[in-house]
PDB file of all heavy atoms in Angstrom:
ATOM      1  N   ASN A 191     -15.698  80.610  51.228  1.00 95.00           N
ATOM      2  CA  ASN A 191     -16.868  79.832  50.631  1.00 95.00           C
ATOM      3  C   ASN A 191     -17.870  80.769  49.975  1.00 95.00           C
ATOM      4  O   ASN A 191     -18.513  80.430  48.964  1.00 95.00           O
ATOM      5  CB  ASN A 191     -17.554  78.993  51.607  1.00 95.00           C
ATOM      6  CG  ASN A 191     -16.721  77.748  51.989  1.00 95.00           C
ATOM      7  OD1 ASN A 191     -15.942  77.236  51.163  1.00 95.00           O
ATOM      8  ND2 ASN A 191     -16.852  77.287  53.239  1.00 95.00           N
ATOM      9  N   VAL A 192     -17.962  82.017  50.595  1.00 96.00           N
ATOM     10  CA  VAL A 192     -18.891  83.018  50.033  1.00 96.00           C
ATOM     11  C   VAL A 192     -18.358  83.449  48.624  1.00 96.00           C
ATOM     12  O   VAL A 192     -19.082  83.541  47.655  1.00 96.00           O
ATOM     13  CB  VAL A 192     -19.029  84.190  50.966  1.00 96.00           C
ATOM     14  CG1 VAL A 192     -20.032  85.267  50.359  1.00 96.00           C
ATOM     15  CG2 VAL A 192     -19.499  83.779  52.371  1.00 96.00           C
ATOM     16  N   TYR A 193     -17.084  83.770  48.604  1.00 97.00           N
ATOM     17  CA  TYR A 193     -16.489  84.203  47.336  1.00 97.00           C
ATOM     18  C   TYR A 193     -16.461  83.086  46.267  1.00 97.00           C
ATOM     19  O   TYR A 193     -16.443  83.376  45.086  1.00 97.00           O
ATOM     20  CB  TYR A 193     -15.117  84.817  47.632  1.00 97.00           C
ATOM     21  CG  TYR A 193     -15.162  85.884  48.645  1.00 97.00           C
ATOM     22  CD1 TYR A 193     -14.627  85.760  49.919  1.00 97.00           C
ATOM     23  CD2 TYR A 193     -15.757  87.134  48.335  1.00 97.00           C
ATOM     24  CE1 TYR A 193     -14.707  86.726  50.841  1.00 97.00           C
ATOM     25  CE2 TYR A 193     -15.841  88.105  49.216  1.00 97.00           C
ATOM     26  CZ  TYR A 193     -15.368  87.966  50.507  1.00 97.00           C
ATOM     27  OH  TYR A 193     -15.478  88.989  51.479  1.00 97.00           O
ATOM     28  N   ALA A 194     -16.361  81.823  46.767  1.00 96.00           N
ATOM     29  CA  ALA A 194     -16.367  80.729  45.792  1.00 96.00           C
ATOM     30  C   ALA A 194     -17.739  80.665  45.105  1.00 96.00           C
ATOM     31  O   ALA A 194     -17.793  80.365  43.901  1.00 96.00           O
ATOM     32  CB  ALA A 194     -16.139  79.388  46.562  1.00 96.00           C
ATOM     33  N   ILE A 195     -18.832  80.997  45.786  1.00 97.00           N
ATOM     34  CA  ILE A 195     -20.141  81.106  45.158  1.00 97.00           C
ATOM     35  C   ILE A 195     -20.082  82.166  44.087  1.00 97.00           C
ATOM     36  O   ILE A 195     -20.563  81.923  42.961  1.00 97.00           O
ATOM     37  CB  ILE A 195     -21.229  81.331  46.178  1.00 97.00           C
ATOM     38  CG1 ILE A 195     -21.361  80.093  47.120  1.00 97.00           C
ATOM     39  CG2 ILE A 195     -22.584  81.603  45.495  1.00 97.00           C
ATOM     40  CD1 ILE A 195     -22.370  80.358  48.271  1.00 97.00           C
ATOM     41  N   ALA A 196     -19.499  83.307  44.479  1.00 97.00           N
ATOM     42  CA  ALA A 196     -19.413  84.437  43.448  1.00 97.00           C
ATOM     43  C   ALA A 196     -18.564  84.017  42.241  1.00 97.00           C
ATOM     44  O   ALA A 196     -18.911  84.355  41.111  1.00 97.00           O
ATOM     45  CB  ALA A 196     -18.859  85.683  44.112  1.00 97.00           C
ATOM     46  N   ALA A 197     -17.506  83.300  42.546  1.00 97.00           N
ATOM     47  CA  ALA A 197     -16.608  82.830  41.426  1.00 97.00           C
ATOM     48  C   ALA A 197     -17.344  81.862  40.505  1.00 97.00           C
ATOM     49  O   ALA A 197     -17.253  81.856  39.258  1.00 97.00           O
ATOM     50  CB  ALA A 197     -15.351  82.197  42.000  1.00 97.00           C
ATOM     51  N   GLY A 198     -18.226  81.022  41.086  1.00 96.00           N
ATOM     52  CA  GLY A 198     -18.946  80.088  40.302  1.00 96.00           C
ATOM     53  C   GLY A 198     -19.990  80.827  39.423  1.00 96.00           C
ATOM     54  O   GLY A 198     -20.290  80.405  38.310  1.00 96.00           O
ATOM     55  N   VAL A 199     -20.543  81.913  39.982  1.00 97.00           N
ATOM     56  CA  VAL A 199     -21.509  82.686  39.164  1.00 97.00           C
ATOM     57  C   VAL A 199     -20.760  83.236  37.929  1.00 97.00           C
ATOM     58  O   VAL A 199     -21.330  83.230  36.813  1.00 97.00           O
ATOM     59  CB  VAL A 199     -22.050  83.885  40.009  1.00 97.00           C
ATOM     60  CG1 VAL A 199     -22.801  84.815  39.153  1.00 97.00           C
ATOM     61  CG2 VAL A 199     -23.013  83.347  41.155  1.00 97.00           C
ATOM     62  N   CYS A 200     -19.530  83.689  38.089  1.00 96.00           N
ATOM     63  CA  CYS A 200     -18.737  84.152  36.923  1.00 96.00           C
ATOM     64  C   CYS A 200     -18.595  83.032  35.914  1.00 96.00           C
ATOM     65  O   CYS A 200     -18.776  83.314  34.696  1.00 96.00           O
ATOM     66  CB  CYS A 200     -17.318  84.573  37.410  1.00 96.00           C
ATOM     67  SG  CYS A 200     -17.328  86.115  38.337  1.00 96.00           S
ATOM     68  N   ASP A 201     -18.311  81.821  36.355  1.00 96.00           N
ATOM     69  CA  ASP A 201     -18.183  80.677  35.484  1.00 96.00           C
ATOM     70  C   ASP A 201     -19.537  80.340  34.820  1.00 96.00           C
ATOM     71  O   ASP A 201     -19.568  80.012  33.669  1.00 96.00           O
ATOM     72  CB  ASP A 201     -17.610  79.473  36.197  1.00 96.00           C
ATOM     73  CG  ASP A 201     -16.156  79.730  36.591  1.00 96.00           C
ATOM     74  OD1 ASP A 201     -15.445  80.538  35.979  1.00 96.00           O
ATOM     75  OD2 ASP A 201     -15.713  79.007  37.543  1.00 96.00           O
ATOM     76  N   LYS A 210     -13.115  86.821  36.695  1.00 95.00           N
ATOM     77  CA  LYS A 210     -12.930  85.953  37.771  1.00 95.00           C
ATOM     78  C   LYS A 210     -11.603  86.424  38.569  1.00 95.00           C
ATOM     79  O   LYS A 210     -11.655  86.411  39.840  1.00 95.00           O
ATOM     80  CB  LYS A 210     -12.668  84.483  37.380  1.00 95.00           C
ATOM     81  CG  LYS A 210     -12.841  83.461  38.458  1.00 95.00           C
ATOM     82  CD  LYS A 210     -13.024  82.119  37.898  1.00 95.00           C
ATOM     83  CE  LYS A 210     -13.143  81.068  38.984  1.00 95.00           C
ATOM     84  NZ  LYS A 210     -13.200  79.685  38.467  1.00 95.00           N
ATOM     85  N   LEU A 213     -12.699  89.299  40.658  1.00 96.00           N
ATOM     86  CA  LEU A 213     -13.472  88.848  41.798  1.00 96.00           C
ATOM     87  C   LEU A 213     -12.641  88.232  42.910  1.00 96.00           C
ATOM     88  O   LEU A 213     -12.802  88.608  44.085  1.00 96.00           O
ATOM     89  CB  LEU A 213     -14.485  87.751  41.278  1.00 96.00           C
ATOM     90  CG  LEU A 213     -15.526  87.137  42.201  1.00 96.00           C
ATOM     91  CD1 LEU A 213     -14.920  85.999  43.022  1.00 96.00           C
ATOM     92  CD2 LEU A 213     -16.138  88.127  43.132  1.00 96.00           C
ATOM     93  N   CYS A 248     -12.309  78.698  44.588  1.00 96.00           N
ATOM     94  CA  CYS A 248     -12.852  79.474  43.488  1.00 96.00           C
ATOM     95  C   CYS A 248     -12.663  78.892  42.135  1.00 96.00           C
ATOM     96  O   CYS A 248     -13.336  79.246  41.152  1.00 96.00           O
ATOM     97  CB  CYS A 248     -12.368  80.912  43.557  1.00 96.00           C
ATOM     98  SG  CYS A 248     -12.980  81.941  44.915  1.00 96.00           S
ATOM     99  N   ASN A 255     -19.251  74.835  46.753  1.00 93.00           N
ATOM    100  CA  ASN A 255     -19.721  76.194  46.801  1.00 93.00           C
ATOM    101  C   ASN A 255     -19.661  76.848  45.369  1.00 93.00           C
ATOM    102  O   ASN A 255     -20.564  77.584  44.966  1.00 93.00           O
ATOM    103  CB  ASN A 255     -18.890  77.022  47.838  1.00 93.00           C
ATOM    104  CG  ASN A 255     -19.097  76.540  49.207  1.00 93.00           C
ATOM    105  OD1 ASN A 255     -20.175  76.766  49.797  1.00 93.00           O
ATOM    106  ND2 ASN A 255     -18.092  75.850  49.714  1.00 93.00           N
ATOM    107  N   ARG A 256     -18.543  76.588  44.725  1.00 96.00           N
ATOM    108  CA  ARG A 256     -18.422  77.025  43.361  1.00 96.00           C
ATOM    109  C   ARG A 256     -19.521  76.401  42.474  1.00 96.00           C
ATOM    110  O   ARG A 256     -20.125  77.114  41.627  1.00 96.00           O
ATOM    111  CB  ARG A 256     -17.087  76.683  42.719  1.00 96.00           C
ATOM    112  CG  ARG A 256     -16.903  77.053  41.305  1.00 96.00           C
ATOM    113  CD  ARG A 256     -15.584  76.605  40.730  1.00 96.00           C
ATOM    114  NE  ARG A 256     -15.571  76.733  39.292  1.00 96.00           N
ATOM    115  CZ  ARG A 256     -16.056  75.806  38.393  1.00 96.00           C
ATOM    116  NH1 ARG A 256     -16.531  74.638  38.967  1.00 96.00           N
ATOM    117  NH2 ARG A 256     -16.082  75.975  37.118  1.00 96.00           N
ATOM    118  N   GLY A 259     -22.656  78.399  42.770  1.00 96.00           N
ATOM    119  CA  GLY A 259     -22.555  79.624  41.979  1.00 96.00           C
ATOM    120  C   GLY A 259     -22.741  79.381  40.524  1.00 96.00           C
ATOM    121  O   GLY A 259     -23.325  80.151  39.844  1.00 96.00           O
ATOM    122  N   ILE A 302     -19.149  92.524  47.800  1.00 98.00           N
ATOM    123  CA  ILE A 302     -19.278  91.231  47.141  1.00 98.00           C
ATOM    124  C   ILE A 302     -20.182  90.306  48.037  1.00 98.00           C
ATOM    125  O   ILE A 302     -21.085  89.641  47.535  1.00 98.00           O
ATOM    126  CB  ILE A 302     -17.955  90.581  46.931  1.00 98.00           C
ATOM    127  CG1 ILE A 302     -17.037  91.430  46.063  1.00 98.00           C
ATOM    128  CG2 ILE A 302     -18.050  89.145  46.294  1.00 98.00           C
ATOM    129  CD1 ILE A 302     -15.618  91.002  45.816  1.00 98.00           C
ATOM    130  N   VAL A 306     -23.688  88.564  46.824  1.00 97.00           N
ATOM    131  CA  VAL A 306     -23.948  87.082  46.936  1.00 97.00           C
ATOM    132  C   VAL A 306     -25.157  86.870  47.790  1.00 97.00           C
ATOM    133  O   VAL A 306     -26.055  86.023  47.479  1.00 97.00           O
ATOM    134  CB  VAL A 306     -22.701  86.363  47.545  1.00 97.00           C
ATOM    135  CG1 VAL A 306     -23.046  84.842  47.745  1.00 97.00           C
ATOM    136  CG2 VAL A 306     -21.502  86.542  46.627  1.00 97.00           C
TER     137      VAL A 306
END
Side-chain angles (χ1 to χ4, degrees):
N191 285 329
V192 179
Y193 303 110
I195 293 174
V199 169
C200 290
D201 291 337
K210 197 168 181 182
L213 179 281
C248 289
N255 297 287
R256 176 184 168 274
I302 300 173
V306 176

